[in-house]
Amino acid sequence: MADLVVRSLRAVTAEGERPAAVLVEDGKIIAVLPYDAEVTTGAEVDLGATALLPGLVDTHVHVNEPGRTEWEGFATATRAAAAGGVTTIIDMPLNSLPPTVNPDALKIKQAAAAGQCHVDVGFWGGAIPGNAADLPGLHAAGVFGFKAFLADSGVPEFPPVDPAQLAEAMSAADALFVIHAEDPDHLRDAASSSAYADFLASRPQDAEHAAVATAIAVAREAGRRVHILHLSAASALPLIAQARADGVRVTAETCPHYLTLDAAAIPDGATEFKCCPPIRDTANADRLWEALADGLITCVVSDHSPCTPDLKRQDTGDFAAAWGGIASVQLGLPVIWTAAAGRGHTLADVVKWMARRPADLVGLRNKGRIAPGADADLVAFEPDAEFIVDAHALHHRNPVTPYAGKVLKGVVRTTWLRGSAVTGADAGGVLLSRTEEM
């Protein structure tokens, strides 16, 4: 007996892609049976050849509420996530006001999110100069770890840490530390310019390489887990490989824009492509794909970091003045599937990169997989359907994205959160807390 059974000839389960019937009761998957199994159920959905995926887990989303809700908010960000097949997000500790750097700020963030979320939402805490004493309490309150910048974050209320301050933070809390890895000594002031090449030159691969080395060195000394955020520079990959071989607990992620966009193809003045670290060339992207395929890069997440259109300075096209951030939480699955399929990868690979491994990173063993005992977070995905990206049809708050006008493969037909279809009418997401088993 089950509340719901979802059948698909292409279910991506823990054992790989296969025909299956997924049984759901009280929001949990209770069994994964053969496609044609006879089941007594209250409701049944037969997807036929439409693929059934676990809900994606995006551990790198900037919601910005409260304080900068005009940039993005929980209602719009989570509606966009659900429309893109993402059923769990972990919100970054900036660019909200206040930033999530102490337990009181976390309570403010949770209060802002309550009742607005269309998917499940967890929270990162922040490590900034002078807040090491707040980290144990913030960790105990349920954040999934701590984000730190090694270079300017772009907002004054979230300053970067130097190596000594990072070491102090790691000593204060036995937690996962996630690092924006760019070294300020290797960054150059970007002169006012509409040429993307000028902006790219101001943030060379050496800046990432040096910062990754710093993060690894501090984590090695402190004996802590460290995760490199939004890796753009392939030159840093050997550092990560060697550190892992040495027993340092280091992982890394990358983002759809680093894997699929080409610096040489970015038009002058197209500030919707600006992000930090920057989009690089196709040869660099090829090396990131290789690292993803062999497991050196563990996961792909959005780094959804939107702002109001005026902050993108589209009127002047000045890359130096524009806010750096890519809005893509709704588009990550089709962007990656389009590129991955062209490279010979499978839906099971995409699920591994965008669902199971991000869930494992933050200890959510009941997310990101179709298996008994997991939450019934499911996605009906039409892998061969194509669409043209219309920025004004996306659900995030401001219609700015570098993918506008692109033809992508893969359409999300239905997203279920704990067995209930997400329609956008009801906000059924819950606020998540870290478990002690992480």
Side-chain angles (χ1 to χ4, degrees), residues 331 333-339 341-342 381-388 406-412:
L331 295 172
L333 176 56
V335 167
I336 288 298
W337 171 239
T338 301
F381 183 65
E382 195 72 55
D384 297 323
E386 293 187 343
F387 70 102
I388 299 172
K406 292 188 179 295
V407 178
L408 299 178
K409 282 181 58 175
V411 174
V412 172

Side-chain angles (χ1 to χ4, degrees), residues 50 64 86 100 274 297 331 392 401:
T50 296
N64 305 333
V86 177
T100 314
K274 180 181 176 180
I297 294 175
L331 295 172
H392 291 276
T401 178

Side-chain angles (χ1 to χ4, degrees), residues 208-224:
E208 283 189 81
H209 189 107
V212 168
T214 295
I216 288 171
V218 176
R220 185 194 303 269
E221 180 65 24
R224 295 289 188 247

Side-chain angles (χ1 to χ4, degrees), residues 86-365:
V86 177
T87 53
T88 301
I89 67 170
I90 310 296
D91 175 55
M92 283 293 169
L94 73 164
N95 304 301
S96 57
L97 293 170
T100 314
V101 293
N102 56 54
D104 287 342
L106 176 62
K107 291 178 183 177
I108 293 170
K109 178 75 73 76
Q110 291 169 326
Q116 291 204 77
C117 299
H118 297 272
V119 302
D120 290 352
V121 177
F123 303 94
W124 293 107
I128 62 173
N131 83 325
D134 291 310
L135 301 187
L138 190 50
H139 202 228
V143 298
F144 284 85
F146 298 102
K147 180 176 187 176
F149 276 76
L150 298 182
D152 181 21
S153 72
V155 291
E157 68 276 2
F158 203 97
V161 294
D162 61 27
Q165 291 163 335
L166 180 60
E168 181 185 16
M170 286 189 176
S171 296
D174 186 4
L176 172 62
F177 283 80
V178 300
I179 309 297
H180 180 120
E182 289 183 288
D183 188 300
D185 292 337
H186 290 76
L187 300 178
R188 305 165 193 161
D189 290 335
S192 179
S193 174
S194 64
Y196 182 77
D198 291 338
F199 167 67
L200 178 60
S202 73
R203 305 186 91 93
Q205 292 206 33
D206 287 353
E208 283 189 81
H209 189 107
V212 168
T214 295
I216 288 171
V218 176
R220 185 194 303 269
E221 180 65 24
R224 295 289 188 247
R225 290 175 65 203
V226 66
H227 180 72
I228 306 302
L229 298 170
H230 47 48
L231 184 70
S232 157
S235 67
L237 291 168
L239 290 175
I240 298 168
Q242 185 59 58
R244 287 175 64 171
D246 293 343
V248 179
R249 293 179 294 167
V250 57
T251 51
E253 69 187 33
T254 193
C255 304
H257 38 283
Y258 300 131
L259 293 166
T260 65
L261 300 178
D262 176 14
I266 296 176
D268 287 352
T271 52
E272 63 271 24
F273 288 85
K274 180 181 176 180
C275 55
C276 300
I279 295 160
R280 305 190 189 277
D281 60 30
T282 55
N284 182 79
D286 287 342
R287 292 182 63 193
L288 296 178
W289 276 104
E290 291 169 3
L292 189 61
D294 68 20
L296 184 57
I297 294 175
T298 56
C299 50
V300 179
V301 293
S302 69
D303 189 12
H304 178 73
S305 186
C307 65
T308 53
D310 61 299
L311 292 177
K312 275 295 187 183
R313 304 296 173 93
Q314 292 180 309
D315 54 339
T316 65
D318 183 355
F319 278 97
W323 175 259
I326 301 289
S328 64
V329 69
Q330 186 172 336
L331 295 172
L333 176 56
V335 167
I336 288 298
W337 171 239
T338 301
R343 290 173 176 264
H345 296 292
T346 66
L347 280 175
D349 292 327
V350 173
V351 164
K352 176 174 60 180
W353 301 329
M354 303 187 77
R356 179 172 58 81
R357 284 182 179 168
D360 290 348
L361 174 72
V362 294
L364 291 173
R365 308 296 178 185

